[in-house]
Every structure is written in C-alpha cells, then in structure tokens.
Amino acid sequence: MERRPNKLIPADLPTVPGLDALDAATITVGVVPDDVEALGIGVHSDGDVPAELGFDRSALEEAGFTGAAGSSLLLPQADAADIVAVGLGARDETTANALRDAAATFVRAASRRSRLGLRIDDLGDVDADTAVRMLAEGSLLARYRYTVLRGSSPHVPLASLVIDVPGGADAAIAEARTGARAAVVARDLANTPPGHLTAVNLGEIATELGERFGFEVELFDKQALIDLGCGGLLGVNQGSVEEPRMVKLSYTPSGGATGHLGLVGKGIMYDSGGISLKPSDPMHLLMKMDMGGAAAVLGAFTGLRDAGVTAQVTGWLMCTDNMPSGTSYKLGDVLTARGGTTVEVKNTDAEGRLVMMDALVLANEDGVDAIIDIATLTGAALVSLGPATAPVLGNDQKTIDLVRTASAAVDESVWQLPLERKYRPQLDSEIADIANLGGPFAGATTAALFLAHFVGETPWAHLDIAGTMQTEKDDSWRTAGATGFGARILLESARAFRAGE
C-alpha cells in the first residue's frame, strides 16, 4: 500500500508498514518444533518448575529469577534454541491480561530471534481459547516497531510463533489478529510524521483499508465541507496549506443490525496550537500524534467485519492541520458549527473540540443510537490521570459502562470522571452561543461539557487520550511511540453494542 504523493514528500514509503509485518507473521497452536530459535517456558512464582528448563527453583532464584509477573531469564544454548524462562506470577493470580503481558515479556526477551515457540503448561483458571488469544495478541503487539523511515534498524520482525498450551486450538488466533490489527493501524498512522501524512493522505488510506476490510468510505473535501456548513473544521483549517478532509466510514453488518453506533475521532494531523502557539518543548514534538483519535477509529473499523460486529457503525474522522499563518483563525473569531451554533474562539489551541462539534451534529442527524468520541483533547487529562489511564466522561452511564467493560477486556485503563454541570457557565460567551474554552481548572471536564452541547440527549461517552496516546519506553505489549490506545476499546465496544441495552 503506497501513499499518494503530496507536494512536499516523495511517495516512496508504505503507509501502514506495521500491518504488513503483522500479516507476514505466522502463528499456530501445537507442539513447539525443534527449529525455533527461542523457546519460552512459563514459570509461576509458586508450584513446580518445568523440568525442561534444567534448573530447579533455587537455582533460578540464585540467577535472580523468581517467576514474578513481567520477569524473564534468557538462557542461551550452544547448539539449540535459546531458552527463556517467562515469569507468570502466582498461579491463582493468572488472568487473561497477565498472559498477554507474559507473551510480551517473552518476545521482548527474544527480540533478536524471529522464529519463536511459547509453552505454558498451567493456565490457572484461564480457558484455553482465551489463553491462545491473549498470548497471540501480546506477541503481535509487543513485536511492533515503527522503523520505515530508518535506513537500517536492529529490529527483527516476528516470522513465526508456535503456542503450546493445554487444549489450545488455532480458532482464537484470528480473533487475536483482528484486535492487534486495530491497534497496529492506529500506531502506524500516529507514528507517521505530519509531512508524510496529511488529511488528504489519511482519506486515501481509509479508502484502501475500507476496500480490504469491508467498510465504505466517503470523503468530504473543502467545498463539500463548505456546503455542509462545517465551520469548526473549516475554521481550524484556515491557517494550513493542506486541504481538510472529513472521512466518513460506514460499516453495515450482514443481516439485521442490532443498533447504530457512531464513532467520532479527532484528526488534527499536526497541532502547532495555531495563533496560540505551543511552546517548543517535547510535547510540541508529539503533536504529530494529535490525530490519534481518528487513527483509533480507523483502526477499529478494520476489525468490525472480522470481529462479527452486529451493529451498524458509522465513523467521522475530522482531519486538518492547525497551523499559524496570515490566514489562521484568530482569538476572538466566531465560528459557526454545522447546525448553526456559534462559537467564540478564546484559544486556537483548543481546536480539537471545534472540529469534533461538526461531527457530533452530523452523527445526530444520521440518527445514531449512541456516540463514542475519542480525542487527544486536553493536557488536563494527562495532569489528572497520568500517561497510563484515560478519562472517560459522558451523559449516559450505560454507554460509559460499555466503554469501561471494553477497557478492562483489552487492558487499556480508563477512569470515569464526572461531567460536572456546575462548570458549564465557564463556557458562556457574551457574543456567541458558547465559547471554546473554560476556566483554568477541570480542563478535561469543561472540554467534555463543550462536546456535550452538541451531543444533546443522545447517549454518549467521551474518551480523552491525550495522556495515553504514547509511551516513552516499551511497556509490556505497548511499544515505545504511539500506543494505538482506544482502537481495541472501540472495537470491543462495537462488538458488544446493542441499542437500548
């Protein structure tokens, strides 16, 4: 899959290289063959030590390995596969998420080997199919690395993995691939530099992915957005030389749909802050990832068909740069959203909510039964919950709980914050219907309250992934760089969605 050219960068790079690497990796269930380059053996911190390791527990502990979760011990062999002892923690604490982490620990410990085997004799209370899915998913996610722009890299892609667990079967591997694919697509897009990925490029990539994974894509160029009256997206785009795009994704299940779910993603391809220019610090460098919400929605859509989602799902990706120039929108400007609401701009760096307001109105016009939006929206999210947990807010507890349940299933942490209506007056404007910025405190909440104005009474949940969009170093199956946070949450939410339930 090759990126279409723009006037800045030659079109000589694949757009989603991680997807190509994922497709190339073979994963099977069975007895580990002799030709693997590294064999991982699961070891609990209690109970018997597998004899194949050749060490008893006291010898392992002398080497510094106790079997604690997240630990590993590499034992190179002269004429055979490397042996890796993989810590599983206490047997009665073995969970599906712990097995995903264990697989990640193994593939990182064997990072220079491409043909791997992983054997776990005791799964605790986790059933075999779930175990296979978690081990495959953890391996695929942990071995991901964005290297396409490097002339050379020490990274070794995963060529094959054989999983040996009691009662395991191949059926769960496809499900693992589907979930991993959603995250990998989101990671690739968020890791791509802004000069290589414009709003126009993202629309082209979405079209190609839609043809492959069974969803329809409709692209709205600048004139179409003018015709629709999408003043938020158009206003933020004013300072950019690149055209905006609204990318509408549509998935229709075979048979009758169990409801209609709307997904809205913030797609700021690069956020300079506009006239409210960001300081030149490490956070500014990360603003190529300010389209992480749109990337997560697109990633989730690649899995809807293969996950057997029974709901109709429609997505809106609101894509543009936010750049300072002589044509930029300004502090004090008033933008008119789709539907007619006027918005006073008090800060051009509070642009994500402006592009999303148009999509929320369009989602309601499409008659969705519920909306989940996802955005790298506020620094307050990072300040309040740090880089490991995303705030979730909304107007409907069932929709919020749908997201929370999905979050637990994929091990991407969220925490519900209150949609405190007492803060809503902070968004009042003397010259427009609403302002795009509240006071100095509770920024994640006031941003959500702004979005709530356009959601109306539709059941809705909002994920602010500003803190969780990236990690500075490898963390279990989260590879350094863009995490793809939210893509699998959205996929699991869509899988479970039933209107009225």
Side-chain angles (χ1 to χ4, degrees), residues 466-500:
T468 55
M469 68 179 181
Q470 65 90 35
T471 179
E472 294 182 0
K473 60 182 180 179
D474 292 344
D475 173 22
S476 182
W477 45 267
R478 304 163 190 85
T479 301
T483 60
F485 188 101
R488 293 184 304 133
I489 291 177
L490 296 178
L491 178 58
E492 289 296 320
S493 297
R495 191 203 306 262
F497 182 74
R498 303 289 186 275

Side-chain angles (χ1 to χ4, degrees), residues 43-49 57 66-67 89-93 122:
V43 182
H44 289 286
S45 58
D46 53 4
D48 296 332
V49 172
R57 189 169 296 281
T66 64
R91 183 192 181 280
D92 62 1
E93 296 177 0
D122 188 345

Side-chain angles (χ1 to χ4, degrees), residues 101-402:
D101 289 341
T105 297
F106 167 55
V107 300
R108 292 204 191 285
S111 62
R112 301 313 302 269
R113 307 302 186 194
S114 64
R115 301 192 312 277
L116 310 179
L118 177 58
R119 197 185 81 212
I120 299 179
D121 296 330
D122 188 345
L123 301 175
D125 295 327
V126 180
D127 68 89
D129 286 344
T130 300
V132 169
R133 178 186 174 189
M134 295 298 103
L135 294 170
E137 188 175 89
S139 299
L140 290 169
L141 291 173
R143 206 54 175 265
Y144 170 88
R145 189 74 63 183
Y146 188 81
T147 62
V148 68
L149 293 172
R150 298 185 62 172
S152 62
S153 169
H155 175 64
V156 177
L158 179 65
S160 64
L161 171 67
V162 179
I163 298 172
D164 185 353
V165 297
D170 286 332
I173 293 175
E175 194 171 3
R177 283 188 179 278
T178 300
R181 179 203 305 149
V184 163
V185 168
R187 287 177 179 182
D188 269 348
L189 295 173
N191 277 325
T192 303
H196 288 77
L197 184 64
T198 66
V200 173
N201 298 148
L202 185 61
E204 294 164 346
I205 293 168
T207 299
E208 295 178 353
L209 291 174
E211 292 172 355
R212 180 174 174 184
F213 295 113
F215 56 93
E216 297 180 1
V217 178
E218 186 176 2
L219 304 178
F220 295 80
D221 62 13
K222 186 173 184 177
Q223 185 56 54
L225 293 167
I226 292 171
D227 295 341
L228 285 172
C230 292
L233 184 53
L234 289 165
V236 175
N237 177 254
Q238 281 179 204
S240 178
V241 298
E242 300 289 347
E243 272 220 1
R245 283 293 183 271
M246 181 173 74
V247 183
K248 185 177 181 181
L249 314 176
S250 301
Y251 165 79
T252 303
S254 57
T258 55
H260 187 184
L261 177 64
L263 302 179
V264 172
K266 173 187 171 183
I268 302 298
M269 312 308 294
Y270 183 78
D271 181 21
S272 70
I275 296 298
S276 305
L277 191 67
K278 293 179 182 292
S280 183
D281 62 14
M283 183 55 70
H284 202 158
L285 176 64
L286 294 175
M287 286 301 100
K288 68 177 183 179
M289 299 183 187
D290 209 23
M291 37 65 69
V297 173
L298 182 52
F301 263 80
T302 68
L304 297 177
R305 179 191 63 191
D306 292 346
V309 170
T310 58
Q312 177 185 353
V313 186
T314 306
W316 288 265
L317 315 182
M318 309 303 286
C319 302
T320 179
D321 295 328
N322 181 28
M323 299 295 289
S325 74
T327 61
S328 298
Y329 74 128
K330 307 164 186 67
L331 281 72
D333 275 351
V334 173
L335 306 180
T336 303
R338 168 75 177 180
T341 298
T342 56
V343 182
E344 181 184 8
V345 177
K346 291 188 174 181
N347 190 321
T348 63
D349 196 23
E351 85 297 329
R353 64 201 73 180
L354 294 174
V355 304
M356 294 170 70
M357 67 185 181
D358 294 324
L360 295 170
V361 173
L362 289 167
N364 276 324
E365 291 177 3
D366 265 22
V368 298
D369 296 307
I371 299 171
I372 302 173
D373 80 68
I374 182 167
T376 51
L377 205 60
T378 68
L382 175 61
V383 171
S384 60
L385 295 179
T389 300
V392 58
L393 305 92
N395 65 3
D396 177 69
Q397 194 60 45
K398 290 182 179 178
T399 307
I400 293 170
D401 287 343
L402 179 74

